[in-house]
Amino acid sequence: ADPKEFDKAFAKAWFKLTHRDMGPRARYVGSEIPSEILSWQDPIPALKHPLVSTVDIEELKQQILASGLTTSALVKAAWGSAASHRVTDMRGGANGARIQLEPQKNWQVNNPKELNEVLTKLKSIQGDFNQQSVSGKISLADIIVLGGAAAIEQAAKSAGYDVDVPFNAGRTDATQAQTDIKSFNYLEPDADGFRNYYTEASYMSPTAMLVDKANSLGLNVPEMTVLVGGMRVLNANYDGSALGVLTKTPEVLTNDFFINLLDMSTTWRKDQNNVGVYQGYDRISGTLKWQASPVDLIFGSSSELRAIAEVYASDDAKSKFINDFVNAWVKVMQLDRFDLK
């Protein structure tokens, strides 16, 4: 009855089929880009505010660190925001701050209650700053990433190292109306080995799911290894789990994870009462020292991963570990910054 309407519907479906792996419209080139903005493209508003200066960034870092938010909470919020990205189809990521929106804000892996507390404080800092600033403004997407950077710098300083975690402002905040809930829900992870998170819905083993997640983030083997070790000592596990937090000084950025994982004075056994949990006992005294998951222990049992872990466990590798962790972290934070590429 309406051939033109049929043609339009077919054209839109065909366009989606052939363009859905290209990511946001910002990546499109040429003169034939459709004018209509489609929800499955995960649209993000154009940047319309002046960017914050170096002085502004340092001021915001101090406000974030003085807010009462823990290193762990800030790191988890930033990771949850950025690590939703997939290099396979360029969807997800920190840009757009969709971690504050449905459905991502209620994903189990993001610890919704804790996440809400973090976002509430960050929104307050953002609002006060933007109201008072006469020059630059900052988006929530940017301040979430900046919070993670500030927390890591503080954790490294606690370990005796002064590092600067690179930060590039310019992200903007998407709205709920710009977010297709059903479509975005397909990005929810069934497992995230970087946060020691695993559900029965996972279609592979915990260790295989870690590799799958690293692949979706475009990480190589050393980057995957150093991020896991750093996330553990930063106490960034899902739901505050102690699995793999192989350090006596959590939230301090040290190479303790690798040192204690490879310590030959520890023997590991399965926890008979908890599936997927291993317990580390002192070989001589029999005292329980640590708990870990299969994801943690793979860095000691896999020959390739152990070789990398031994590098980071070296006494002279403390600085290398921190620098490599920062570089891998920043890579994840900027995966969806197509404007920088």
Side-chain angles (χ1 to χ4, degrees), residues 90-113:
M90 308 300 174
R91 296 192 67 196
N95 203 356
R98 284 190 164 89
I99 197 169
Q100 68 163 327
L101 306 173
E102 293 284 0
Q104 194 175 352
K105 70 177 184 179
N106 287 319
W107 286 354
Q108 182 180 343
V109 67
N110 289 332
N111 295 115
K113 182 178 179 181

Side-chain angles (χ1 to χ4, degrees), residues 203-232:
Y203 55 92
M204 295 184 291
S205 69
T207 52
M209 290 297 285
L210 168 68
V211 175
D212 183 70
K213 181 66 175 178
N215 183 58
S216 72
L217 294 173
L219 300 172
N220 59 35
V221 178
E223 289 169 338
M224 177 186 76
T225 302
V226 76
L227 279 170
V228 168
M231 294 282 281
R232 294 295 185 273

Side-chain angles (χ1 to χ4, degrees), residues 99-299:
I99 197 169
Q100 68 163 327
L101 306 173
E102 293 284 0
Q104 194 175 352
K105 70 177 184 179
N106 287 319
W107 286 354
Q108 182 180 343
V109 67
N110 289 332
N111 295 115
K113 182 178 179 181
E114 180 185 69
L115 174 63
N116 182 61
E117 294 173 355
V118 174
L119 293 180
T120 297
K121 288 192 176 183
L122 292 181
K123 286 178 182 178
S124 176
I125 295 172
Q126 175 207 11
D128 291 343
F129 175 84
N130 287 343
Q131 185 176 18
Q132 298 172 9
S133 176
V134 295
S135 54
K137 307 293 181 182
I138 192 164
S139 65
L140 180 63
D142 270 342
I143 206 169
I144 290 171
V145 174
L146 185 61
I152 291 170
E153 289 176 357
Q154 179 173 259
K157 188 174 183 179
S158 297
Y161 294 87
D162 288 323
V163 297
D164 178 41
V165 179
F167 169 78
N168 287 289
R171 300 169 183 84
T172 59
D173 300 333
T175 65
Q176 190 65 68
Q178 294 171 319
T179 304
D180 186 329
I181 295 177
K182 181 179 179 181
S183 174
F184 208 82
N185 245 337
Y186 290 119
L187 274 66
E188 181 177 6
D190 293 324
D192 182 351
F194 295 96
R195 288 180 278 186
N196 243 338
Y197 175 75
Y198 186 78
T199 68
E200 294 182 357
S202 301
Y203 55 92
M204 295 184 291
S205 69
T207 52
M209 290 297 285
L210 168 68
V211 175
D212 183 70
K213 181 66 175 178
N215 183 58
S216 72
L217 294 173
L219 300 172
N220 59 35
V221 178
E223 289 169 338
M224 177 186 76
T225 302
V226 76
L227 279 170
V228 168
M231 294 282 281
R232 294 295 185 273
V233 296
L234 291 174
N235 206 22
N237 276 346
Y238 161 72
D239 204 25
S241 168
L243 294 183
V245 185
L246 309 181
T247 180
K248 299 297 184 183
T249 57
E251 300 194 359
V252 177
L253 191 56
T254 66
N255 60 343
D256 285 358
F257 172 83
F258 300 106
I259 293 174
N260 292 314
L261 177 67
L262 303 180
D263 186 354
M264 296 304 293
S265 69
T266 302
T267 180
W268 293 93
R269 307 171 197 159
K270 283 186 177 180
D271 185 339
Q272 299 303 316
N273 299 317
N274 297 290
V275 178
V277 175
Y278 292 80
Q279 296 177 322
Y281 294 89
D282 185 277
R283 288 184 185 274
I284 298 176
S285 68
T287 303
L288 177 63
K289 298 196 296 183
W290 312 109
Q291 288 188 317
S293 72
V295 169
D296 302 313
L297 297 189
I298 196 67
F299 291 95

Side-chain angles (χ1 to χ4, degrees), residues 298-309:
I298 196 67
F299 291 95
S301 60
S302 163
S303 58
E304 181 181 4
L305 295 178
R306 187 181 181 93
I308 299 171

